[in-house]
């Protein structure tokens, strides 16, 4: 069997809020609650298990999602509709803009727990 990433746990202030935020933006379904986890499963079946933890123990992480152009349009439209701050770069030096790296489009924005989320339409170096 080849090695595959199966799941990762994402610490959040409110597991349901964070799972619903991501699922809503990306048009994904939330799976059934399992113990302390609310799962969101993207197309490649790597489960993102959101877990509520004390806010002071959350360390900001980065999560990047490779999506189609149509999915980008829908998600970016939702970001704008919700008034979520967004940036063309991970260092937040280019607010209110997207990037066109590698001939695609990309955007960075925070989730409700302060994690750095990234949407790209082309893989890096692609």
């Amino acid at each position: 069997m080849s090695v595959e990433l199966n799941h990762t746990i994402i610490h959040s202030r409110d597991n349901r809020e964070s799972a619903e935020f991501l699922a809503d933006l990306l048009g994904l379904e939330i799976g059934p609650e399992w113990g302390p986890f609310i799962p969101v499963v993207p197309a490649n079946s790597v489960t993102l298990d959101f877990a509520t933890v004390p806010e002071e123990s959350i360390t900001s992480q980065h999560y990047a999602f490779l999506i189609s152009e149509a999915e980008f349009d829908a998600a970016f439209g939702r970001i704008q509709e919700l008034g979520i701050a967004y940036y063309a770069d991970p260092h937040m030096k280019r607010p209110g803009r997207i990037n066109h790296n590698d001939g695609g489009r990309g955007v960075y924005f925070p989730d409700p727990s302060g994690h750095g989320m990234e949407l790209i339409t082309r893989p890096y170096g692609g």
Side-chain angles (χ1 to χ4, degrees), residues 19-89:
E20 288 176 355
F21 172 83
L22 184 65
D24 180 54
L25 278 179
L26 298 180
L28 300 173
E29 297 292 322
I30 293 175
E33 188 169 346
W34 183 76
F37 307 112
I38 305 286
V40 175
V41 185
N44 62 348
S45 300
V46 175
T47 304
L48 306 173
D49 293 325
F50 289 88
T52 300
V53 300
E55 189 169 354
E56 63 274 6
S57 68
I58 297 173
T59 300
S60 180
Q61 299 293 314
H62 177 79
Y63 299 93
F65 299 92
L66 179 61
I67 62 178
S68 71
E69 292 289 340
E71 290 164 330
F72 187 93
D73 289 339
F76 185 58
R78 193 81 177 111
I79 289 167
Q80 291 176 308
E81 178 183 306
L82 294 171
I84 298 167
Y86 62 91
Y87 305 86
D89 65 301

Side-chain angles (χ1 to χ4, degrees), residues 69-70 72-73 98-101 103-107 119-122:
E69 292 289 340
F72 187 93
D73 289 339
I98 66 170
N99 67 59
H100 297 279
N101 298 339
R105 293 185 290 166
V107 67
L119 305 178
I120 55 174
T121 61
R122 298 274 169 82

